[in-house]
Amino acid sequence: MCFQTAINLKVYPLSKMVKVGDTVSDIEEGIFAGMWTVGVLKGSSEIGLSEQEIKEMDPYQLQDRMKRAENRLLQAGADFVVDEIGD
């Protein structure tokens, strides 16, 4: 998908581009394409919570869940992990 997107947009090299995703497979895709990778936590498949569930969750439980998801993304090879897409 990364290669096709780069072709469609006529941008290169992939090593100067960033793949942003919320799953381990997103991170792996970016790595295999030679891109920088950024994992996103809140609203991600790795955390598995809706926005409403995040708001209602105990902050300590949420931090624990986010830390575990962050570790999975970093172990997959993410260059960075951010809390939210706006970060």
Side-chain angles (χ1 to χ4, degrees), residues 25-43:
S25 61
D26 286 333
I27 300 304
E28 291 171 345
E29 177 186 25
I31 291 168
F32 294 145
M35 303 169 82
W36 286 83
T37 59
V38 177
V40 180
L41 295 175
K42 287 187 178 172

Side-chain angles (χ1 to χ4, degrees), residues 31-85:
I31 291 168
F32 294 145
M35 303 169 82
W36 286 83
T37 59
V38 177
V40 180
L41 295 175
K42 287 187 178 172
S44 73
S45 298
E46 288 297 314
I47 289 192
L49 298 171
S50 69
E51 185 176 346
Q52 187 63 34
E53 289 170 322
I54 288 172
K55 288 179 184 177
E56 294 172 357
M57 183 173 253
D58 174 77
Y60 294 107
Q61 289 179 331
L62 178 59
Q63 280 296 77
D64 180 58
R65 204 162 180 161
M66 288 176 65
K67 189 64 177 171
R68 284 186 277 132
E70 177 183 22
N71 287 338
R72 285 192 299 273
L73 294 171
L74 289 171
Q75 287 175 354
D79 294 295
F80 303 98
V81 176
V82 296
D83 286 351
E84 301 178 58
I85 192 71

